[in-house]
Amino acid sequence: MDRDIVYLDLETITGDWVEKPAPEYSGFQSVQTLNEQEARDEYDALQLKPGMARIICIGTAWNDQEAECVMMEEKFLIDQFIIDWHDNHTNDILPLIVGHNVIKFDLQKLYEACIKHKHYKFAQFIRVNYIIFARENTYDLMTKFAGDRGYISQHNLCRYLGTESSKDNLSGVEIAQAWRDSRREDIKAYQIDDVNTLRLNYREMTGGE
């Protein structure tokens, strides 16, 4: 029996960013004291903190299916993700989740959102099977390549592997700015590209399995 594979990528923003420009939100230094890279790094670090980010869209591709991006209010986004999970999971074997920094970021944020919106059973399912026992049920492209404490961006991994990425390497700040500017379709297109890139890199790193 074949194991399902789901390629997963989330986009998040810090809660305050929706209403406030970067220099004003809680925990962010004045832009006058930061260069562009420092601003990106600080914003990304803030999103990693528990409870500091909310999911704005979820990109997935199951097996060889086309990549999809679902964007709606976080509560309904989580509802839909759980429905899609049960609709696409075709057997009794736990699906393999593939992502880039998927254990520490995507799955952690998914777990937090499930708790927030009272999907306690699915939250526990994610935590036990994909965070605690991550090695058996996830394929984290970043840690597989760079080690548990190493780091490589998806963009740089593409460059190293020679895989094509049809997107610019947008930072968290730039995604948040696109959200604030109501460029929803741009974000969705970016994320679909991200998911397709996950699949390309996974197949390159595993010999096309």
Side-chain angles (χ1 to χ4, degrees):
M1 186 178 294
D2 292 335
R3 186 180 199 181
D4 287 322
I5 300 175
V6 55
Y7 303 90
L8 175 67
D9 182 64
L10 311 183
E11 296 298 346
T12 63
I13 55 173
T14 61
D16 290 345
W17 179 272
V18 183
E19 305 296 337
K20 302 176 183 179
E24 299 179 24
Y25 74 72
S26 174
F28 199 91
Q29 299 179 31
S30 168
V31 292
Q32 282 83 15
T33 67
L34 296 173
N35 63 36
E36 184 178 355
Q37 187 58 51
E38 287 172 335
R40 291 180 178 188
D41 291 347
E42 183 168 332
Y43 186 87
D44 290 345
L46 187 64
Q47 289 200 93
L48 286 170
K49 294 181 179 179
M52 290 300 292
R54 67 183 179 89
I55 303 169
I56 59 171
C57 54
I58 299 178
T60 56
W62 283 79
N63 302 313
D64 294 323
Q65 296 177 23
E66 289 188 7
E68 297 182 344
C69 173
V70 179
M71 180 182 289
M72 55 182 72
E73 280 186 42
E74 188 182 67
K75 178 186 184 305
F76 303 115
L77 192 58
I78 297 302
D79 293 344
Q80 189 61 50
F81 180 81
I82 295 172
I83 291 170
D84 291 344
W85 180 277
H86 291 299
D87 286 346
N88 285 287
H89 184 200
T90 59
N91 54 53
D92 293 332
I93 304 172
L94 280 173
L96 178 72
I97 294 182
V98 175
H100 194 96
N101 198 22
V102 69
I103 301 167
K104 292 182 179 179
F105 184 74
D106 302 85
L107 288 168
Q108 179 61 34
K109 296 307 170 188
L110 183 62
Y111 168 77
E112 291 172 18
C114 285
I115 291 292
K116 178 181 178 182
H117 300 295
K118 299 180 171 51
H119 286 290
Y120 302 117
K121 186 175 180 180
F122 197 77
Q124 188 67 4
F125 170 79
I126 290 295
R127 181 163 182 79
V128 170
N129 292 296
Y130 292 102
I131 298 177
I132 295 175
F133 293 102
R135 290 186 182 278
E136 290 83 359
N137 300 313
T138 65
Y139 192 99
D140 192 323
L141 292 157
M142 186 183 81
T143 58
K144 288 288 187 183
F145 186 85
D148 289 342
R149 297 187 180 182
Y151 173 81
I152 186 170
S153 69
Q154 181 162 286
H155 178 70
N156 285 336
L157 182 59
C158 286
R159 293 177 63 187
Y160 186 86
L161 295 175
T163 53
E164 292 188 10
S165 175
S166 58
K167 66 178 180 58
D168 294 327
N169 188 30
L170 297 183
S171 69
V173 169
E174 289 161 334
I175 289 291
Q177 185 63 58
W179 177 266
R180 192 163 178 262
D181 293 342
S182 299
R183 290 161 43 210
R184 305 295 195 258
E185 293 305 312
D186 289 347
I187 296 172
K188 290 173 74 173
Y190 168 87
Q191 190 172 46
I192 287 171
D193 281 343
D194 241 7
V195 174
N196 286 327
T197 299
L198 288 175
R199 182 154 47 193
L200 279 173
N201 287 347
Y202 172 74
R203 289 175 175 173
E204 186 69 22
M205 289 178 62
T206 59
E209 72 174 54

